[in-house]
Amino acid sequence: MGNNPSALEQCISAVGNGRPNFAGFPNNPLYQIQWVKPYNLDVQVTPAAVVRPDNAQDISGIVKCASANNVKVQAKSGGHSYANYGLGGTDGAVAIDMVNFQHFHMDNVTWEATVGAGTRLGEVTTKMHDAGKRAMAHGVCPDVGTGGHATIGGLGPMSRMWGSCLDHVLEVEVVTADGKIQRASQNENPDLFWALRGSAAGFGVITEFKFRTHPEPGEIVQYSYSLNFGSQADIAPVYSKWQDLISDPKLDRRFGTEFIMFPFGAIITGTFYGSEAEFKATGIATRFPSGGKLSIVTNDWLTALAVDGQNEALYLSKLATPFYSKSLAFKPDQMIPANKVKEIFEWTDKQDKGTLIWFIIFDATGGAMMDVPMDATSYSHRDKILFYQSYAVGLPLQGKTRDFLTGFHNQLQAAVPGAYGAYAGYVDPALTDGQQQYWGPNLPKLQSLKKRFDPADLFHNPQSVRVV
């Protein structure tokens, strides 16, 4: 762009009105490091601008600038999109960095919390605790931003007990494609509210949320069961026994758990929201496989989330790296047969992964998630009880690493032919039918609402909802 700013740059700069650190453009030699800050270094993207607004009026002006110049818009909250969709996902978008939207307020009568869309989950936890020992369902990575998490789904270990993060959203403030600053809830702009809870990236920029909250659980039991074997094949029976446990329709909803494969072993982690006596009374501990190392500790709410966050960081780094990932969702009647588990784990042993940094995570869901009707929000995986995601880092990322994860994914699909659907929080740019996999039966309604609220497809990434 040289020394002659484009019409888009001039328009955005006018919105900033001389404020320092308001906007960055590609002619800045430190643009990628200081402004863009991609999460997945394997997905190269250069936005037309990265803007850090201070209020909804700023965002309204930025949206109008982008619209006038026929440039796409995406919001970036925590910036943890697996395909850098908060930066547009492809070159040339305006990325709205919500870092300055950190406000928080707790109503001590209704116990409803107002949270800025740029607030990280770790801060949400702390602020809710300090405001009356309140809590809500969300994931355990403390650096993930609320804006994306609470609109994609927002799954965490307490989701079987309380539902998803987006199930706690009562109201939002949002800037729509026409630049209007609007409120959306069940009573005001209900169709827009429906779309935002599951697919906000295609409908607007949310500036703040109003959440319902719960009292913090008193005691929390956390367990880990680790196995260090020479091969994944040795672990296959352990996985099958864990899968039998999580597929039990009577499994206590206070219990959340993951099974994690990694080089030379596996670990089962879990959280039970109750006392140790209550945990023992469920009989869950007696159903753990044998042969590994079992650890059970009791913590309070903040400590439990800190432990979960530390564990998660071991597998899903908050650091920017080149990585690849796949995912799949399973209904109750789509559990992997034991003989197929054995075959898949044996296949895993034989593969050249191209890296020592790989993980395959199976995460139990269901419970309270399934209480909400499929069409109550645009989030569509209410009928699932299990997600898996794979994750591998390469420095650089090699083709054989992609082939390994793609091959594992194909093995799962062959073992359970009916399994279909992916969680938009584990976005996969390789999917050719991403919209159908993310939103399933809710996609037609989303497409209709897209035509109504954003007919020019201003809010766009490579797999966002399109106008049909």
Side-chain angles (χ1 to χ4, degrees), residues 72-95:
K72 304 302 184 184
V73 175
Q74 283 289 271
K76 172 185 173 182
S77 180
H80 286 76
S81 168
Y82 283 11
N84 297 330
Y85 283 176
L87 299 168
T90 56
D91 293 346
V94 170

Side-chain angles (χ1 to χ4, degrees), residues 4-31:
N4 298 312
S6 67
L8 176 67
E9 289 183 25
Q10 293 180 55
C11 186
I12 290 175
S13 296
V15 174
N17 195 27
R19 276 174 281 173
N21 300 315
F22 182 77
F25 303 103
N27 58 359
N28 182 336
L30 298 178
Y31 185 57

Side-chain angles (χ1 to χ4, degrees), residues 259-294:
F259 183 100
I260 304 163
M261 301 169 60
F262 55 86
F264 314 117
I267 185 170
I268 300 172
T269 67
T271 306
F272 178 81
Y273 297 95
S275 68
E276 187 169 358
E278 290 173 316
F279 179 59
K280 289 179 178 178
T282 67
I284 291 171
T286 65
R287 300 173 67 179
F288 288 155
S290 59
K293 181 181 179 181
L294 179 64

